[in-house]
Amino acid sequence: MHLRLPRFCRKLLAHVRLGDKKRNPELINPGTILAPSGQVSNGGPRTTPPAATPLYFPHHVPAGISTPFSGVSPRQFLELFLSLKSPSDVTCEHINALNVDVSKDVTLDELIPAFFVDGEPMFPLDPSREQSLNGADDPLLRWPSTTLSNGNEAPGRDIYSVRQQELSCDNDVAFRAVRRLPALPDLPPAKLVHFRKFWLNFDLMSEYWDTSKDDAEALNGQTEGYQGRRIGTGREMPEKYREDAIRLFIEPIAWQFGCQIRVPTMNPRLAVQTVLFPVRHSSVVYRVPTERVRARAGNLEGPLIAVQCRPTTEFRNDGEALGEGNAEKVDLLREVAAMLLLAQERARDGKVEKRPGEGKWWTTTPRWGAKVSVDDDDGGDTMGNSDGTTAARVGRGITKGSSRRKRKAEKSTQTLSPGPGLWDKKVTYVQVGKNEEDDFDDIFMVSSINHHISILRLRVHPLYLQYLETGIAPPLAHLQPSNDCGNAQFPNSQAESRQEQPWYVLKLQRTKWYDLFSAEDRVEAMKGVWGIFTWLMRGKGEEDVEMTDASDA
């Protein structure tokens, strides 16, 4: 017995199929989107895609550090950025006004603060400390702190090795595993558990960026039958593919440290005095509360790390020198703005939100010209007439429903309250991982363009954030860098670098661009992200971790 769909359902399905064919004919073309990457479903030739998108990277480095903010009036500083009407208006003047000191291609040992064990600095994943996998119980292989700041046990070296093996496998082997295809001859199948979702989304990226199987003769039209993996160019790839792949690259690491990465629920906006500038946050990492009730309610603590993905593929126009392209300056400004917003959110630790207009006369004093128009209990009309009747109301075209809506609108005009707040109600803002002995806050971000990622670190002083938000410069006594800013948690070289950094300077460090199609770069990028979590989630010992009972939430 066969079930037959109703007539209107058959028409609807036929219309949807026809509409899909008209909008995107590739959906019914064998061997394209529905076919596995690098495979031809029917053995026939595939449509040759356009030439691959060339790889370009930004190289702009500011010329130098200008004078402190005390030499620039707050109005001039604000008007400089208010003059931006489009990305093409960004110049070196805007970058130099922020006093950004950029260091490129730094190593992970220089980027991530090191621990000290027996008086010797140790990077979270120092190869010299890796004795053997059998020593998983060795405290040195678990790093100095065996307890994280949330009270959980720090992940050991064996856990790291399992994740490392999943990222070290060959691309073709991993793509066939996530597509449930037979393994290649003489190669064992990939065992993907924690990074399986990453490989699924990375497989979608490969259909636009992977040129490893491109045939030059087929691309030039000399031969028929394209056998490569691409179906388009990198410029044509949807932004969601990159954002999901990078988020799922960090998510398995965040879980091991009791953290969660999510897409922002509120529009990210950077506060510069009285103006809010929109910035790009693709996703943000937070710490999950230890209280079960708060965790189930979706509450988070932080933030810890920001993630920014950008679709830009060209950074220089014809005639522009390396590092002088307009798109290069825009790209750097977007990264700095995103990290400053993360610094502003972390600086809310211990503060109470002040909503826009709170305490002002326009949110406390009733406005003029307002007239209360609420129905009386004796059946009067909306203007307060005591002899109003239902018939009169209907005659004027006022029904019961419309009257209720009118009263609701009139009541809203009588309500005086500040504007909507800028703080996320589900987030408890905490400076997780901040060094208490250092005034500067270390801001970390994972930046992504093309099919590459780079890890950034920005050191921000609270006086810098104060000037950015209020326009008030500190006294002259704070203009010079303090000599008493060393910390035994850092190597001597890092302590000396902090002594040379004044409060009005943003010191930005960035690694090289890690190619996600390279197994070696993937492992190195994971090592850097793992090291950031190890540093930010470090604990002071079990006796110093405060655990709150769920009943107190």
Side-chain angles (χ1 to χ4, degrees), residues 24-154:
N24 193 354
E26 288 186 345
L27 290 178
I28 59 172
N29 184 19
T32 55
I33 293 180
L34 297 180
S37 296
Q39 303 293 326
V40 181
S41 60
N42 60 348
R46 296 178 53 194
T47 303
T48 303
T53 302
L55 296 178
Y56 297 107
F57 299 93
H59 295 276
H60 179 70
V61 177
I65 304 301
S66 60
T67 57
F69 291 125
S70 58
V72 181
S73 65
R75 183 178 183 85
Q76 294 175 347
F77 182 82
L78 180 60
E79 289 180 350
L80 177 63
F81 289 94
L82 287 178
S83 63
L84 297 176
K85 305 302 180 182
S86 64
S88 60
D89 297 335
V90 177
T91 61
C92 295
E93 186 179 2
H94 298 89
I95 304 296
N96 296 334
L98 296 174
N99 292 340
V100 184
D101 182 15
V102 180
S103 300
K104 297 173 51 180
D105 298 335
V106 300
T107 63
L108 294 178
D109 297 338
E110 298 172 349
L111 183 78
I112 304 175
F115 295 106
F116 270 71
V117 178
D118 299 331
E120 298 180 1
M122 186 193 73
F123 184 69
L125 295 177
D126 189 354
S128 62
R129 298 282 181 170
E130 301 176 13
Q131 300 173 359
S132 64
L133 296 180
N134 297 328
D137 296 333
D138 187 353
L140 294 180
L141 296 181
R142 294 185 177 181
W143 304 291
S145 176
T146 58
T147 305
L148 302 175
S149 59
N150 55 6
N152 298 335
E153 184 179 0

Side-chain angles (χ1 to χ4, degrees), residues 451-472:
H451 49 84
H452 300 70
I453 64 174
S454 177
I455 304 176
L456 284 70
R457 176 190 178 193
L458 184 73
R459 290 183 53 76
V460 186
H461 198 279
L463 295 179
Y464 188 101
L465 299 177
Q466 173 186 327
Y467 181 85
L468 194 66
E469 297 179 5
T470 63
I472 301 176

Side-chain angles (χ1 to χ4, degrees), residues 371-544:
K371 184 174 182 180
V372 180
S373 56
V374 182
D375 287 353
D376 298 333
D377 296 338
D378 56 357
D381 60 10
T382 58
M383 301 305 296
N385 298 330
S386 58
D387 56 348
T389 59
T390 303
R393 294 164 60 90
V394 175
R396 296 195 305 268
I398 302 177
T399 61
K400 184 176 181 181
S402 63
S403 177
R404 186 181 296 109
R405 290 191 297 269
K406 183 178 180 181
R407 291 198 307 269
K408 184 177 181 180
E410 293 174 346
K411 186 177 180 180
S412 63
T413 61
Q414 300 294 324
T415 303
L416 300 177
S417 62
L422 304 177
W423 295 21
D424 193 340
K425 304 302 181 183
K426 291 288 187 178
V427 176
T428 302
Y429 294 99
V430 182
Q431 290 181 311
V432 180
K434 184 183 181 302
N435 187 4
E436 299 178 356
E437 301 180 9
D438 189 7
D439 293 335
F440 288 85
D441 190 12
D442 294 318
I443 308 299
F444 293 95
M445 187 177 78
V446 177
S447 178
S448 175
I449 58 175
N450 301 330
H451 49 84
H452 300 70
I453 64 174
S454 177
I455 304 176
L456 284 70
R457 176 190 178 193
L458 184 73
R459 290 183 53 76
V460 186
H461 198 279
L463 295 179
Y464 188 101
L465 299 177
Q466 173 186 327
Y467 181 85
L468 194 66
E469 297 179 5
T470 63
I472 301 176
L476 296 178
H478 295 278
L479 293 181
Q480 299 298 329
S482 174
N483 293 328
D484 186 19
C485 59
N487 182 7
Q489 294 286 344
F490 293 87
N492 296 331
S493 59
Q494 296 183 5
E496 294 175 358
S497 63
R498 288 199 312 277
Q499 295 177 10
E500 299 175 358
Q501 179 182 356
W503 68 269
Y504 53 84
V505 173
L506 296 176
K507 185 174 182 181
L508 176 63
Q509 297 174 297
R510 67 182 314 140
T511 64
K512 70 171 187 178
W513 290 101
Y514 297 105
D515 186 1
L516 293 181
F517 283 109
S518 171
E520 182 180 355
D521 282 4
R522 283 196 302 268
V523 172
E524 189 71 10
M526 175 194 168
K527 177 181 178 181
V529 176
W530 193 286
I532 294 176
F533 277 101
T534 304
W535 167 253
L536 293 178
M537 292 296 295
R538 68 193 184 281
K540 299 179 181 179
E542 297 181 359
E543 66 277 0
D544 296 330

Side-chain angles (χ1 to χ4, degrees), residues 17 132 218 238 249 262 364 389 550:
R17 293 170 182 169
S132 64
F249 180 82
R262 70 166 189 179
T364 55
T389 59

Side-chain angles (χ1 to χ4, degrees), residues 73 176 227:
S73 65
R176 298 182 69 88
Q227 300 294 329

